Amino acid sequence: MPTVVLMDASLSMTRPVSLEGSEEFQRKNLAVHGLTMLFEHMATNYRLEFTALVVFSSLWELMVPFTRDYNTLQVVLVTDGALGIGRGSLRHSLATMKQRGEDKKFPLPFPFPSKLYIMCISNAEELQATDAMDNLEQLLTLSGGEGHIFTMDGPLCLKSVQAMFGKLIDQAYTPFHAVLRCGNLASDVQVFPRPEPVLLDDEVDPVPKAVLTELEIVGFIEIGDIASPPVLSRHLVLPIAVNKEADEVGAGTTDDMEEDTSTNQMAGKSPNFCVLLHGSLKVEGMVALVQLGPDWYGMLYSQADSKKKSNLMMSLFEPGPEPLPWLGKISQLGPISDALENPYGEDDSKSPFPVQPKNKRSYAQNVTVWIKASGLQTDVQKILRNARKLPEKTQTFYKELNRLRKAALAFGFWELLKCVAELLERECTLLPDSAHPDAAFQLSHAAQQLKLASTGDSQYAAFEHNITPMLTDFSGGGGGADRM
């Protein structure tokens, strides 16, 4: 996850801080000290992290665009929590947020996933003495709540700012080290960026699932069989030895197989299982299925980012024993040698995938599904087309109307029933003088029944109930009775 550093360059950051036995420091000096500590940590442990620097006061300026070269970064300042006064200050911006026009909308929340960490060169007591902490918490909430507000404990000094930035490093910039195993082969690796815990929505009391530090390869499969599966996230896998010794972090990368010697030299001139695995997957056109935890799997594969350079990548599937339905349960997959005959055929002319279900499903009944708005619009237009051809299309009209009614009730889409009823009433008012009299009766009757169903009353909103045509003198039923 790239890092954007926002540097507070306002006048309040020059307020002095008294340190015993030394010259007078300013708050910006403490910020410089803490950020230097952060950047040194990232340069050592997070060398693939992209970082940009923006300075701001009443205006803002991009000082350093996204880069991995930490030597070119300017002095980075974080905020002291002083909100400013008047137009353009944080306090004023939050207070007038709802009065802003579309062309000047408040920048939060961002239109992309993000985390916001606020580093205050102040202690909590100082911020809580005013409304500063409340405004900063509101800012964090507007960003989506992902992140944290850090304050300094105790007096404002170098030790306190080190402790505060240490907490940030522990929470957001700790490298994820793991052991990648395949049988008797193993390699120490770093997974970048750090995999985030996953929360399952279908559990009653969801508990975050975290990727284990023991990654076990359970098998290999051809790229064509796994296709382009849905994944939660993608990560770069780096051999730790390469990550520490290489001047240019191309760890876990390999050029053509003829150049494997240079890759091994990057791996400390010693055999490395991670480099071997990457080269093999690239040449054979396969992926490795890896177990991330109990009933949780992912895949390792080679991905090229240029003509001569590729990386060993890891994608995380949704937690569960069967993340890819066409493969079946991952735990039930086995080696080809265990099969009575080659499932791919003698000449690789067939494939065992997708796995066929044991019970053949019946597709006799049509199920209405609206994945896109266009599908719903098509069904509504079909009803209106038949409505304009009443009474000739009476049976088709009620068939389509009941199909939409059942789907809306199943989804709890009460507003749809009410809206379609209003459309039918409008069609009734637009009928030409030459229209058959029965058309107006049927449209009014259908609209009334949909409105009754939209109330959710069990008497009218029963799923099994069908709206039947209204019997009128014109339809030959006699007496105008309304048969339900």
Side-chain angles (χ1 to χ4, degrees):
M1 182 180 292
T3 297
V4 178
V5 177
L6 300 178
M7 167 179 131
D8 188 346
S10 60
L11 185 63
S12 63
M13 287 293 290
T14 63
R15 286 182 291 168
V17 176
S18 298
L19 298 179
E20 294 182 2
S22 65
E23 61 182 271
E24 188 177 81
F25 268 64
Q26 296 178 347
R27 296 195 181 218
K28 69 177 182 180
N29 300 126
L30 296 180
V32 169
H33 184 77
L35 288 167
T36 300
M37 171 184 170
L38 172 64
F39 289 129
E40 287 177 351
H41 172 83
M42 293 171 68
T44 303
N45 300 285
Y46 257 60
R47 300 179 65 178
L48 295 180
E49 180 81 351
F50 285 97
T51 306
L53 170 63
V54 177
V55 296
F56 70 94
S57 181
S58 57
L59 300 175
W60 64 272
E61 181 181 357
L62 177 64
M63 300 296 295
V64 181
F66 280 113
T67 178
R68 290 179 185 162
D69 186 355
Y70 296 102
N71 294 322
T72 63
L73 288 179
Q74 308 291 322
V75 174
V76 179
L77 302 180
V78 292
T79 185
D80 59 348
L83 304 180
I85 56 175
R87 188 178 182 86
S89 65
L90 178 59
R91 182 184 289 109
H92 179 269
S93 298
L94 292 175
T96 60
M97 185 172 57
K98 294 183 179 179
Q99 286 86 43
R100 289 170 172 246
E102 286 294 323
D103 57 333
K104 295 182 178 180
K105 291 180 65 176
F106 196 75
L108 295 177
F110 295 120
F112 46 83
S114 62
K115 292 185 178 181
L116 177 62
Y117 296 99
I118 303 175
M119 313 300 293
C120 298
I121 310 301
S122 307
N123 53 45
E125 292 76 13
E126 183 181 355
L127 296 174
Q128 290 169 350
T130 63
D131 61 345
M133 181 61 80
D134 293 336
N135 282 270
L136 293 177
E137 288 176 348
Q138 185 179 354
L139 197 66
L140 184 61
T141 301
L142 288 172
S143 72
E146 290 283 336
H148 194 76
I149 299 175
F150 293 92
T151 59
M152 297 176 62
D153 295 330
L156 304 187
C157 60
L158 296 178
K159 184 177 180 181
S160 296
V161 80
Q162 285 179 348
M164 181 177 68
F165 276 88
K167 292 177 182 178
L168 171 66
I169 290 172
D170 292 340
Q171 181 169 334
Y173 294 101
T174 301
F176 185 87
H177 293 160
V179 177
L180 179 62
R181 298 186 183 278
C182 181
N184 294 323
L185 300 175
S187 176
D188 292 330
V189 296
Q190 178 181 345
V191 179
F192 182 89
R194 184 182 183 88
E196 295 289 337
V198 176
L199 206 61
L200 300 182
D201 294 334
D202 55 350
E203 293 185 353
V204 178
D205 295 317
V207 177
K209 292 177 69 74
V211 176
L212 299 180
T213 55
E214 292 282 335
L215 305 177
E216 184 75 28
I217 294 177
V218 297
F220 300 87
I221 192 169
E222 293 186 2
I223 291 179
D225 289 331
I226 207 162
S228 299
V231 299
L232 295 176
S233 57
R234 296 177 177 86
H235 307 265
L236 187 64
V237 180
L238 308 171
I240 287 181
V242 177
N243 190 38
K244 288 182 178 178
E245 297 179 13
D247 292 331
E248 198 67 37
V249 181
T253 66
T254 181
D255 297 339
D256 296 333
M257 287 301 291
E258 297 82 28
E259 300 180 19
D260 271 354
T261 305
S262 61
T263 303
N264 286 330
Q265 287 176 351
M266 293 177 67
K269 297 183 180 181
S270 61
N272 188 286
F273 166 61
C274 192
V275 176
L276 172 66
L277 173 67
H278 178 207
S280 302
L281 294 177
K282 179 180 179 181
V283 172
E284 297 297 330
M286 302 187 79
V287 302
L289 295 177
V290 58
Q291 186 161 11
L292 311 172
D295 278 343
W296 193 9
Y297 299 90
M299 67 176 182
L300 295 164
Y301 56 97
S302 174
Q303 184 179 61
D305 57 7
S306 66
K307 290 184 178 179
K308 289 190 175 182
K309 185 180 178 182
S310 58
N311 302 300
L312 181 61
M313 303 294 296
M314 181 173 72
S315 291
L316 276 56
F317 301 148
E318 286 275 358
E322 196 174 352
L324 310 179
W326 62 91
L327 295 184
K329 291 186 176 181
I330 302 294
S331 60
Q332 293 181 358
L333 296 176
I336 295 178
S337 57
D338 287 355
L340 297 177
E341 59 181 29
N342 191 337
Y344 291 93
E346 297 300 328
D347 55 354
D348 289 341
S349 59
K350 60 180 183 178
S351 172
F353 306 107
V355 174
Q356 298 299 321
K358 294 180 180 179
N359 299 323
K360 188 174 182 181
R361 294 171 181 153
S362 172
Y363 297 94
Q365 293 184 343
N366 292 326
V367 179
T368 303
V369 179
W370 297 313
I371 299 177
K372 297 181 179 179
S374 57
L376 174 59
Q377 184 180 11
T378 299
D379 285 347
V380 174
Q381 288 175 341
K382 193 181 298 183
I383 292 173
L384 296 179
R385 283 198 303 270
N386 287 298
R388 291 163 190 158
K389 297 179 181 179
L390 291 172
E392 291 83 4
K393 293 289 185 178
T394 298
Q395 297 302 321
T396 307
F397 168 74
Y398 279 98
K399 177 184 175 182
E400 295 298 331
L401 189 70
N402 283 312
R403 187 168 70 87
L404 179 137
R405 175 185 174 278
K406 287 180 180 291
L409 291 175
F411 300 145
F413 202 170
W414 316 109
E415 296 85 356
L416 174 63
L417 298 176
K418 186 176 180 181
C419 290
V420 174
E422 293 172 352
L423 288 175
L424 295 180
E425 289 176 340
R426 181 176 180 274
E427 288 294 324
C428 189
T429 62
L430 296 176
L431 287 173
D433 295 337
S434 59
H436 194 286
D438 195 40
F441 285 109
Q442 300 299 342
L443 288 175
S444 298
H445 165 65
Q448 180 189 21
Q449 294 300 311
L450 288 181
K451 282 189 174 181
L452 291 173
S454 69
T455 63
D457 190 330
S458 59
Q459 182 180 355
Y460 304 103
F463 184 79
E464 299 79 9
H465 172 72
N466 281 324
I467 302 175
T468 56
M470 182 181 186
L471 295 180
T472 67
D473 293 338
F474 304 101
S475 58
D482 185 0
R483 185 177 65 192
M484 297 295 294

